[in-house]
Amino acid sequence: MLMRKRFVAYIKRIPSDIKKLLREPFLLTGIILVNLFLFLFIVLPLFKIFQLSFEDKGQFSLAIFSELLSKKYNVQPLIHSLTLGIAVSILGTLIGFIFAYAITRVDIPWKRFFNIMATFPIIAPPFMMSLSAILLFGKQGFVSKLILRDIIQFKIYGFYGLLVVETLTYFSTAYLTLYGVLQAIDPALEDAALDLGASKGKVFRSITLPLATPAIASAILLVFSQSLADFGNPMILAGNYTILATQAYLTIVGMFNIKGGAALAILLLIPSLIAFCLQKYWVSRKSYVTVTGKPSAARIKMDRPLTKYSIFGLCLLLTGIIFLFYGMILFGSFVKLWGANHTLTMDNYKHVFTVGWEFIKDTLLLSSVATPIAGILGMIIAFLVVRKSFPGKRLMELVSLLTFAVPGTVVGIGYILAFNQPPLVLTGTAAIIILVFIFRDIAVGVQTGIAELQQIDPSIEEASTDLGADSFITFRRITLPMITPAFYSGLAFTFVKCMTAISAVIFVVSGRWNLITIAILGSVENSDLSQAAAFSIVIIVFILLALRLIQFLVNQIGRGRKLKFEKAEALQSI
């Protein structure tokens, strides 16, 4: 009954919304263009995959799925992907929770350092861990060959190797999710339980853990989705443990069976979308946090020596493992030829900036073009969704999130199908890579923009409109400067993902435009591990420098934020 009333109210509001849009032609044009872009570069590629997979001679058919699933070598990758995803999500969430709980609830030293180490994997190429695992535990690895002298043979290729590297790669996602929730829980609830005589262990079991349950579930689903979508690590380290993302790629590239690859992509898409929908529309709408009044600034920390130093030691151990893996990449980048000649040299970096310079230049150029477009478009969509009323705005928000839920392999296949024939032929051009970058990573900017706008009083922008400014001027001069933190998050996330992308773009790169991640993958396949390590270090350095530059530029946009707030408040008082 309630849903029916809401639907009727929505239908009655449509004519009024349309009349308002007609009074602002620029806003109407903007909404039409945004919807057109979302349809062309998100909906159309996904539709093409479904069309190819479910259509046979112009009729609906499941024949391709029956054919694929009748072969064990296609069913096994699906089982492998789900098994690995579940294992990585549980272990990654556990490690993320340990770091988040230690930093928010335990009186340990070096909290800032642990926070940096827990978030560092986000800016590193995802396949760096696989490369490091080979340098450490491969047949010519630093530990297995040089230290243990082949006494122990590490089975790094396959399930256990992937479990370790994907957990170390994606636990940061769980950490960030859990840290925010644990930090937001009202400490008065825990303090009250302690005052009533409960032990800190019981407070953890009966209050902290139940209140963090939605975040834990959300973290598990997010890490599960990332593991399913992972392409770089399995390409390097899977061995005979084939997963669905690489199987779809090999089906297209190795067997020249694009229909079969598209159908495998559908099989990969289904669990990813289920996990995304559960995380977005079920878990995110359930809250166990009760805040009554203003939370106290003080928070009782666990300071019992046994608990404190046990958790501190565990954090040190995990940080040491992270250091070992990333440190080996740095060390390996200075080795002449890994496994044959361990003389220290700068030759690998000379190779990177001479032979590999074209890869670096193309990656930086394409990323630099895509990042501001994705950032601004994300803020525009957020502005339209939160501040404007028009038919289909919820659909606009949903579509903008789709590619975030879809594995990169699926996106890449969709772009090949959609833009490899008239009327829009983009295959082999820089445009198709830029478009993949923009619409693959736009979701984070949209969501952070929506969250930021929901915290800002809309009357500030209404004051600008009342004084005669249209929606474009209001957005450019009022809204955008006020949401600079969200703008920075969108830009930073997009640039990092552009620089480290591989799963979606491996289908659309060409001889004219290549990416540094493709160079790294090629170096690993050619057993040039030292060159691959050097490329990886260069990516991280460029990312760190770019993030500083983005922060500076965004600060220039938002430097008048405080002044604009004061002016808006003055206008409202008048």
Side-chain angles (χ1 to χ4, degrees):
M1 189 67 180
L2 180 61
M3 292 295 294
R4 183 181 177 183
K5 287 182 178 180
R6 288 181 178 177
F7 179 73
V8 171
Y10 172 75
I11 295 297
K12 289 181 177 179
R13 198 171 63 244
I14 289 178
S16 174
D17 292 341
I18 293 176
K19 288 180 182 179
K20 290 179 182 178
L21 289 176
L22 292 175
R23 288 197 292 267
E24 286 195 77
F26 192 88
L27 176 61
L28 179 60
T29 303
I31 292 172
I32 293 172
L33 287 176
V34 168
N35 280 309
L36 178 63
F37 291 150
L38 293 178
F39 171 78
L40 280 177
F41 303 118
I42 294 180
V43 176
L44 181 61
L46 295 179
F47 171 76
K48 287 292 186 180
I49 292 180
F50 279 91
Q51 183 183 38
L52 183 63
S53 302
F54 290 99
E55 187 179 284
D56 186 24
K57 297 179 181 179
Q59 294 183 341
F60 178 82
S61 173
L62 297 174
I64 186 64
F65 293 97
S66 300
E67 181 184 344
L68 289 173
L69 295 177
S70 66
K71 298 179 175 65
K72 185 178 180 180
Y73 62 79
N74 285 323
V75 176
Q76 203 66 41
L78 175 60
I79 298 173
H80 287 169
S81 295
L82 295 175
T83 304
L84 180 64
I86 292 170
V88 170
S89 62
I90 293 173
L91 189 56
T93 301
L94 177 62
I95 294 175
F97 186 85
I98 290 171
F99 272 105
Y101 188 79
I103 292 174
T104 60
R105 289 296 191 279
V106 185
D107 188 23
I108 59 172
W110 303 356
K111 288 189 177 185
R112 183 177 178 83
F113 169 72
F114 287 136
N115 180 65
I116 293 172
M117 293 309 302
T119 54
F120 183 77
I122 292 175
I123 68 167
F127 45 77
M128 275 186 69
M129 284 296 181
S130 291
L131 175 59
S132 182
I134 297 174
L135 294 176
L136 283 167
F137 306 112
K139 290 183 178 180
Q140 301 297 326
F142 183 82
V143 173
S144 55
K145 186 74 174 179
L146 299 181
I147 296 180
L148 298 180
R149 304 289 182 181
D150 293 327
I151 296 174
I152 301 176
Q153 294 292 329
F154 294 95
K155 295 181 180 180
I156 62 168
Y157 293 96
F159 173 78
Y160 293 105
L162 285 174
L163 176 61
V164 171
V165 299
E166 287 195 3
T167 298
L168 292 175
T169 300
Y170 298 123
F171 85 91
S172 293
T173 302
Y175 165 75
L176 291 174
T177 303
L178 293 163
Y179 175 83
V181 171
L182 288 173
Q183 190 71 16
I185 292 175
D186 188 352
L189 300 173
E190 297 163 309
D191 295 346
L194 290 170
D195 291 340
L196 291 173
S199 65
K200 291 185 178 179
K202 188 172 183 180
V203 170
F204 171 78
R205 293 190 304 271
S206 60
I207 295 179
T208 309
L209 193 58
L211 289 177
T213 297
I216 293 172
S218 181
I220 288 174
L221 291 169
L222 286 171
V223 176
F224 175 76
S225 298
Q226 288 183 309
S227 176
L228 279 183
D230 191 14
F231 180 85
N233 286 312
M235 279 294 289
I236 295 174
L237 214 59
N240 294 325
Y241 193 83
T242 311
I243 68 164
L244 211 52
T246 55
Q247 183 70 5
Y249 171 76
L250 295 174
T251 300
I252 293 173
V253 176
M255 302 179 185
F256 302 103
N257 182 4
I258 193 166
K259 187 178 181 69
L264 289 173
I266 295 294
L267 295 178
L268 180 63
L269 177 61
I270 292 170
S272 298
L273 283 179
I274 291 173
F276 172 76
C277 291
L278 285 174
Q279 191 276 329
K280 176 65 181 172
Y281 295 104
W282 177 60
V283 174
S284 63
R285 294 191 178 191
K286 290 180 179 289
S287 177
Y288 297 84
V289 180
T290 304
V291 179
T292 55
K294 185 179 179 181
S296 59
R299 188 186 300 273
I300 297 178
K301 305 279 187 180
M302 284 195 174
D303 53 5
R304 291 178 58 186
L306 180 60
T307 304
K308 173 180 176 180
Y309 290 109
S310 295
I311 295 178
F312 178 64
L314 193 55
C315 289
L316 277 180
L317 175 62
L318 294 172
T319 302
I321 294 172
I322 296 170
F323 252 117
L324 177 64
F325 273 77
Y326 285 110
M328 186 51 57
I329 295 289
L330 181 62
F331 173 71
S333 68
F334 290 102
V335 171
K336 183 77 174 176
L337 182 61
W338 192 266
N341 184 353
H342 292 90
T343 306
L344 298 182
T345 178
M346 293 292 294
D347 288 348
N348 296 313
Y349 287 97
K350 291 178 183 177
H351 173 85
V352 168
F353 286 102
T354 52
V355 178
W357 176 245
E358 289 298 318
F359 292 90
I360 297 173
K361 184 181 69 174
D362 287 352
T363 305
L364 287 173
L365 176 62
L366 297 175
S367 301
S368 299
V369 172
T371 297
I373 297 174
I376 294 172
L377 183 58
M379 295 304 102
I380 290 174
I381 294 173
F383 175 72
L384 293 175
V385 168
V386 177
R387 291 292 191 258
K388 299 300 175 181
S389 182
F390 57 91
K393 75 172 184 176
R394 292 303 169 197
L395 182 62
M396 175 189 287
E397 180 187 3
L398 175 62
V399 172
S400 70
L401 299 179
L402 271 181
T403 50
F404 187 74
V406 175
T409 308
V410 179
V411 175
I413 295 172
Y415 269 69
I416 285 294
L417 294 174
F419 306 117
N420 197 32
Q421 55 190 356
L424 197 57
V425 180
L426 299 175
T427 306
T429 67
I432 194 169
I433 301 176
I434 292 171
L435 289 169
V436 169
F437 283 164
I438 293 171
F439 291 95
R440 176 81 174 98
D441 304 318
I442 196 175
V444 171
V446 172
Q447 287 303 289
T448 53
I450 288 174
E452 187 84 10
L453 281 168
Q454 287 174 340
Q455 298 176 8
I456 297 174
D457 189 347
S459 60
I460 298 173
E461 294 152 307
E462 289 169 2
S464 171
T465 306
D466 291 342
L467 290 173
D470 60 22
S471 296
F472 173 74
I473 293 176
T474 300
F475 173 78
R476 181 173 61 85
R477 301 188 63 180
I478 305 294
T479 308
L480 191 58
M482 288 194 298
I483 58 174
T484 48
F487 189 37
Y488 171 75
S489 297
L491 291 174
F493 179 86
T494 301
F495 187 82
V496 170
K497 291 302 179 181
C498 290
M499 291 291 291
T500 60
I502 186 168
S503 59
V505 296
I506 197 168
F507 291 96
V508 297
V509 293
S510 64
R512 293 176 56 195
W513 297 95
N514 250 311
L515 301 176
I516 193 170
T517 49
I518 307 300
I520 294 174
L521 191 59
S523 296
V524 174
E525 290 176 346
N526 294 330
S527 298
D528 294 327
L529 301 182
S530 296
Q531 289 181 7
F535 272 116
S536 300
I537 296 297
V538 168
I539 284 183
I540 292 177
V541 171
F542 274 116
I543 287 175
L544 291 174
L545 292 174
L547 291 180
R548 297 289 291 182
L549 178 61
I550 291 171
Q551 180 71 73
F552 171 77
L553 294 175
V554 171
N555 286 342
Q556 296 305 303
I557 296 174
R559 62 183 177 179
R561 179 178 179 179
K562 183 177 179 181
L563 180 60
K564 285 184 172 65
F565 267 118
E566 292 173 350
K567 287 182 177 179
E569 289 171 358
L571 289 171
Q572 291 176 58
S573 63
I574 294 173

